[in-house]
Amino acid sequence: MNKTIYLLKSTVSVFIIFFAFYAKAEVLEATDIGIIKDEIAKLKSGDMVLLDVKHVIFYSSDQVMLHEHKSFFKQKFAQIEANLGKEEATRLKSIVLSSYKPMIVDHEIAEIINKAQKSGIIVFALTSGNTSNYGIIPNRADLRIKTIKDIGIDFSKSMNLPYIDLSGGMALSTKEGSSNPIFQDGVIFAAKRQKGEILGKFLKLSKLNPEKIIFVDNQLKNVLSVEEKCKELDIDYTGIHFTKLHNKPSTQLDKKIAEKKFEILLAESRWIDDNEASLMIKK
């Protein structure tokens, strides 16, 4: 009888420990900034917030670069590569990537980040972006950081951490060339690797040990990847699948404007905005 009671108590204890561990992780969906703001407000000094960059903090003002028109954009550059070669297609695409005007997804985000940083919460970006040179762009990490700062957000204000190579000293190749995951100026660049894996390397090398992490990303696979790593590291986790842009009504692509933009890109090696393209068409 005593043995039975002991086994029952042991089973209950194991269940409680198991349940408590997995209760630390949750994934939410947010269509606006409100849920993100509320969850960050629950954090304490030393906790960590990680934010994806593109489609969470900013997006392109060019209609042809919106997610619903991605296939058109890719098709145009596939045609350029077929006609002019990969090197020229890369050069022209790099002109686009270094020239488009970013638009803030939600104007409250800068204020929320600034307030959290002042409260001692570590707020960094976690982007899948590449870090190598590309066409006319000397360093894509530098360009991404500049774009973020230009819209009024500085992730390096959270804490003064030096540059960290997250590749383990090995050159990692992608279809666009060598691009290593790094940490720079408050931004973790996963360089197209799994974000959970790169976050794990960052936490180990930076020696940061937050009790809780909130991660906001527009792609659910990334939210789940970081969730898995936080479970492995026994860190409380709230993942937020941020779908504000994806829930906006789709816009119909103005083919005349889009074609004019690519016409000028090919003829003059410059990327014009939609307004300039529209004015050219009306002349």
Side-chain angles (χ1 to χ4, degrees):
M1 182 68 178
N2 288 339
K3 186 177 180 181
T4 303
I5 292 171
Y6 173 78
L7 288 172
L8 181 61
K9 284 183 177 179
S10 298
T11 303
V12 170
S13 297
V14 170
F15 175 78
I16 290 171
I17 292 169
F18 180 86
F19 179 78
F21 175 76
Y22 281 98
K24 292 177 181 178
E26 63 174 343
V27 174
L28 308 173
E29 182 167 338
T31 57
D32 60 54
I33 203 74
I35 290 176
I36 298 171
K37 188 175 182 179
D38 291 344
E39 291 302 314
I40 292 176
K42 299 174 185 176
L43 299 180
K44 62 182 184 301
S45 178
D47 288 337
M48 181 178 287
V49 176
L50 299 169
L51 297 157
D52 185 25
V53 177
K54 205 166 182 184
H55 299 140
V56 171
I57 294 175
F58 70 78
Y59 64 102
S60 172
S61 60
D62 296 78
Q63 58 169 316
V64 73
M65 294 177 73
L66 296 176
H67 69 276
E68 61 258 43
H69 306 310
K70 188 187 294 185
S71 59
F72 178 87
F73 188 78
K74 286 185 174 181
Q75 286 170 10
K76 292 299 290 186
F77 274 102
Q79 291 171 6
I80 292 171
E81 183 173 334
N83 294 332
L84 302 177
K86 185 174 182 179
E87 185 176 342
E88 180 63 3
T90 297
R91 186 185 75 85
L92 292 173
K93 190 174 182 181
S94 71
I95 291 171
V96 176
L97 296 177
S98 60
S99 304
Y100 75 84
K101 181 182 176 183
M103 299 285 287
I104 297 175
V105 174
D106 193 294
H107 288 282
E108 279 194 79
I109 192 67
E111 181 184 344
I112 292 169
I113 291 170
N114 187 49
K115 184 178 178 181
Q117 288 173 327
K118 287 180 178 178
S119 300
I121 296 165
I122 303 165
V123 188
F124 289 147
L126 174 54
T127 173
S128 62
N130 281 313
T131 59
S132 63
N133 65 312
Y134 184 74
I136 67 164
I137 302 170
N139 185 297
R140 284 179 282 187
D142 290 343
L143 176 62
R144 177 57 57 89
I145 290 166
K146 181 182 182 301
T147 302
I148 296 168
K149 288 184 177 180
D150 284 348
I151 60 175
I153 296 171
D154 186 353
F155 288 105
S156 66
K157 286 183 177 179
S158 285
M159 59 170 46
N160 186 25
L161 275 183
Y163 175 99
I164 303 173
D165 182 349
L166 301 173
S167 67
M170 297 176 62
L172 303 173
S173 297
T174 70
K175 62 182 180 181
E176 294 183 352
S178 178
S179 188
N180 290 345
I182 63 169
F183 171 82
Q184 181 180 332
D185 290 340
V187 182
I188 304 166
F189 291 88
K192 307 304 179 186
R193 278 82 186 174
Q194 281 199 352
K195 289 188 175 181
E197 174 195 354
I198 300 305
L199 174 61
K201 291 182 178 181
F202 168 72
L203 292 174
K204 181 179 179 180
L205 293 172
S206 67
K207 296 182 170 52
L208 292 175
N209 188 28
E211 289 186 13
K212 175 151 188 175
I213 288 177
I214 291 176
F215 175 50
V216 184
D217 198 293
N218 71 303
Q219 294 191 53
L220 184 58
K221 67 176 183 178
N222 294 329
V223 175
L224 298 177
S225 170
V226 173
E227 178 189 31
E228 185 178 348
K229 179 56 63 175
C230 286
K231 284 181 177 180
E232 179 186 319
L233 298 174
D234 196 16
I235 297 171
D236 283 0
Y237 176 73
T238 298
I240 300 178
H241 182 210
F242 189 49
T243 59
K244 180 173 180 175
L245 284 185
H246 295 289
N247 283 305
K248 286 177 66 176
S250 295
T251 59
Q252 186 172 356
L253 180 65
D254 189 321
K255 289 285 186 68
K256 288 183 178 180
I257 288 178
E259 293 292 352
K260 177 57 71 174
K261 289 163 75 75
F262 276 97
E263 178 188 324
I264 298 300
L265 178 65
L266 287 165
E268 302 178 19
S269 292
R270 66 187 183 99
W271 185 248
I272 60 175
D273 63 28
D274 290 0
N275 290 332
E276 186 176 352
S278 180
L279 289 172
M280 286 181 173
I281 291 168
K282 290 176 181 177
K283 286 183 178 179

PDB file of all heavy atoms in Angstrom, residues 245-257:
ATOM      1  N   LEU A 245       0.163  43.107 -41.321  1.00  0.00           N
ATOM      2  CA  LEU A 245       0.260  43.385 -42.759  1.00  0.00           C
ATOM      3  C   LEU A 245      -0.469  42.336 -43.589  1.00  0.00           C
ATOM      4  O   LEU A 245      -1.091  42.649 -44.598  1.00  0.00           O
ATOM      5  CB  LEU A 245       1.727  43.448 -43.192  1.00  0.00           C
ATOM      6  CG  LEU A 245       2.500  44.714 -42.816  1.00  0.00           C
ATOM      7  CD1 LEU A 245       3.895  44.666 -43.427  1.00  0.00           C
ATOM      8  CD2 LEU A 245       1.779  45.972 -43.274  1.00  0.00           C
ATOM      9  N   HIS A 246      -0.401  41.083 -43.145  1.00  0.00           N
ATOM     10  CA  HIS A 246      -1.033  39.999 -43.912  1.00  0.00           C
ATOM     11  C   HIS A 246      -2.556  40.084 -43.853  1.00  0.00           C
ATOM     12  O   HIS A 246      -3.234  39.525 -44.715  1.00  0.00           O
ATOM     13  CB  HIS A 246      -0.553  38.647 -43.392  1.00  0.00           C
ATOM     14  CG  HIS A 246       0.904  38.407 -43.616  1.00  0.00           C
ATOM     15  ND1 HIS A 246       1.439  38.178 -44.857  1.00  0.00           N
ATOM     16  CD2 HIS A 246       1.955  38.398 -42.760  1.00  0.00           C
ATOM     17  CE1 HIS A 246       2.736  38.010 -44.770  1.00  0.00           C
ATOM     18  NE2 HIS A 246       3.082  38.149 -43.500  1.00  0.00           N
ATOM     19  N   ASN A 247      -3.082  40.764 -42.846  1.00  0.00           N
ATOM     20  CA  ASN A 247      -4.530  40.898 -42.718  1.00  0.00           C
ATOM     21  C   ASN A 247      -5.076  42.174 -43.356  1.00  0.00           C
ATOM     22  O   ASN A 247      -6.280  42.406 -43.350  1.00  0.00           O
ATOM     23  CB  ASN A 247      -4.938  40.857 -41.243  1.00  0.00           C
ATOM     24  CG  ASN A 247      -4.911  39.443 -40.695  1.00  0.00           C
ATOM     25  OD1 ASN A 247      -5.550  38.539 -41.232  1.00  0.00           O
ATOM     26  ND2 ASN A 247      -4.168  39.225 -39.637  1.00  0.00           N
ATOM     27  N   LYS A 248      -4.183  42.996 -43.887  1.00  0.00           N
ATOM     28  CA  LYS A 248      -4.648  44.186 -44.609  1.00  0.00           C
ATOM     29  C   LYS A 248      -5.268  43.742 -45.934  1.00  0.00           C
ATOM     30  O   LYS A 248      -4.829  42.766 -46.540  1.00  0.00           O
ATOM     31  CB  LYS A 248      -3.476  45.126 -44.894  1.00  0.00           C
ATOM     32  CG  LYS A 248      -2.971  45.893 -43.671  1.00  0.00           C
ATOM     33  CD  LYS A 248      -1.779  46.749 -44.013  1.00  0.00           C
ATOM     34  CE  LYS A 248      -2.165  47.864 -44.973  1.00  0.00           C
ATOM     35  NZ  LYS A 248      -1.024  48.776 -45.252  1.00  0.00           N
ATOM     36  N   PRO A 249      -6.271  44.456 -46.405  1.00  0.00           N
ATOM     37  CA  PRO A 249      -6.856  44.110 -47.706  1.00  0.00           C
ATOM     38  C   PRO A 249      -5.803  44.155 -48.807  1.00  0.00           C
ATOM     39  O   PRO A 249      -4.984  45.074 -48.846  1.00  0.00           O
ATOM     40  CB  PRO A 249      -7.917  45.203 -47.915  1.00  0.00           C
ATOM     41  CG  PRO A 249      -8.213  45.726 -46.552  1.00  0.00           C
ATOM     42  CD  PRO A 249      -6.939  45.601 -45.774  1.00  0.00           C
ATOM     43  N   SER A 250      -5.790  43.150 -49.642  1.00  0.00           N
ATOM     44  CA  SER A 250      -4.813  43.116 -50.735  1.00  0.00           C
ATOM     45  C   SER A 250      -5.072  44.236 -51.726  1.00  0.00           C
ATOM     46  O   SER A 250      -6.221  44.573 -52.014  1.00  0.00           O
ATOM     47  CB  SER A 250      -4.880  41.767 -51.460  1.00  0.00           C
ATOM     48  OG  SER A 250      -4.497  40.724 -50.602  1.00  0.00           O
ATOM     49  N   THR A 251      -3.981  44.807 -52.205  1.00  0.00           N
ATOM     50  CA  THR A 251      -4.101  45.865 -53.208  1.00  0.00           C
ATOM     51  C   THR A 251      -3.846  45.280 -54.591  1.00  0.00           C
ATOM     52  O   THR A 251      -3.035  44.359 -54.739  1.00  0.00           O
ATOM     53  CB  THR A 251      -3.085  46.989 -52.941  1.00  0.00           C
ATOM     54  OG1 THR A 251      -1.767  46.429 -52.965  1.00  0.00           O
ATOM     55  CG2 THR A 251      -3.335  47.654 -51.597  1.00  0.00           C
ATOM     56  N   GLN A 252      -4.536  45.805 -55.571  1.00  0.00           N
ATOM     57  CA  GLN A 252      -4.314  45.340 -56.935  1.00  0.00           C
ATOM     58  C   GLN A 252      -3.084  46.053 -57.495  1.00  0.00           C
ATOM     59  O   GLN A 252      -2.949  47.267 -57.374  1.00  0.00           O
ATOM     60  CB  GLN A 252      -5.533  45.638 -57.818  1.00  0.00           C
ATOM     61  CG  GLN A 252      -5.415  45.047 -59.215  1.00  0.00           C
ATOM     62  CD  GLN A 252      -6.713  45.174 -60.001  1.00  0.00           C
ATOM     63  OE1 GLN A 252      -7.716  45.643 -59.479  1.00  0.00           O
ATOM     64  NE2 GLN A 252      -6.679  44.766 -61.257  1.00  0.00           N
ATOM     65  N   LEU A 253      -2.180  45.296 -58.062  1.00  0.00           N
ATOM     66  CA  LEU A 253      -0.956  45.860 -58.598  1.00  0.00           C
ATOM     67  C   LEU A 253      -1.247  46.704 -59.827  1.00  0.00           C
ATOM     68  O   LEU A 253      -1.909  46.249 -60.771  1.00  0.00           O
ATOM     69  CB  LEU A 253       0.024  44.747 -58.955  1.00  0.00           C
ATOM     70  CG  LEU A 253       1.371  45.187 -59.545  1.00  0.00           C
ATOM     71  CD1 LEU A 253       2.173  45.981 -58.524  1.00  0.00           C
ATOM     72  CD2 LEU A 253       2.165  43.970 -60.027  1.00  0.00           C
ATOM     73  N   ASP A 254      -0.766  47.934 -59.830  1.00  0.00           N
ATOM     74  CA  ASP A 254      -0.866  48.799 -61.005  1.00  0.00           C
ATOM     75  C   ASP A 254       0.285  48.432 -61.932  1.00  0.00           C
ATOM     76  O   ASP A 254       1.422  48.846 -61.724  1.00  0.00           O
ATOM     77  CB  ASP A 254      -0.791  50.274 -60.585  1.00  0.00           C
ATOM     78  CG  ASP A 254      -1.107  51.218 -61.739  1.00  0.00           C
ATOM     79  OD1 ASP A 254      -0.675  50.932 -62.880  1.00  0.00           O
ATOM     80  OD2 ASP A 254      -1.751  52.269 -61.490  1.00  0.00           O
ATOM     81  N   LYS A 255      -0.008  47.637 -62.937  1.00  0.00           N
ATOM     82  CA  LYS A 255       1.026  47.112 -63.824  1.00  0.00           C
ATOM     83  C   LYS A 255       1.761  48.225 -64.571  1.00  0.00           C
ATOM     84  O   LYS A 255       2.967  48.112 -64.834  1.00  0.00           O
ATOM     85  CB  LYS A 255       0.402  46.133 -64.827  1.00  0.00           C
ATOM     86  CG  LYS A 255      -0.052  44.808 -64.225  1.00  0.00           C
ATOM     87  CD  LYS A 255       1.136  43.916 -63.933  1.00  0.00           C
ATOM     88  CE  LYS A 255       0.704  42.527 -63.458  1.00  0.00           C
ATOM     89  NZ  LYS A 255       0.052  41.735 -64.504  1.00  0.00           N
ATOM     90  N   LYS A 256       1.061  49.298 -64.921  1.00  0.00           N
ATOM     91  CA  LYS A 256       1.712  50.390 -65.650  1.00  0.00           C
ATOM     92  C   LYS A 256       2.803  51.037 -64.798  1.00  0.00           C
ATOM     93  O   LYS A 256       3.903  51.324 -65.286  1.00  0.00           O
ATOM     94  CB  LYS A 256       0.679  51.441 -66.069  1.00  0.00           C
ATOM     95  CG  LYS A 256      -0.251  50.992 -67.189  1.00  0.00           C
ATOM     96  CD  LYS A 256      -1.185  52.117 -67.599  1.00  0.00           C
ATOM     97  CE  LYS A 256      -2.091  51.675 -68.750  1.00  0.00           C
ATOM     98  NZ  LYS A 256      -3.025  52.766 -69.167  1.00  0.00           N
ATOM     99  N   ILE A 257       2.480  51.268 -63.517  1.00  0.00           N
ATOM    100  CA  ILE A 257       3.471  51.850 -62.605  1.00  0.00           C
ATOM    101  C   ILE A 257       4.630  50.880 -62.400  1.00  0.00           C
ATOM    102  O   ILE A 257       5.806  51.272 -62.445  1.00  0.00           O
ATOM    103  CB  ILE A 257       2.817  52.217 -61.260  1.00  0.00           C
ATOM    104  CG1 ILE A 257       1.915  53.445 -61.429  1.00  0.00           C
ATOM    105  CG2 ILE A 257       3.877  52.464 -60.184  1.00  0.00           C
ATOM    106  CD1 ILE A 257       1.173  53.860 -60.176  1.00  0.00           C
TER     107      ILE A 257
END
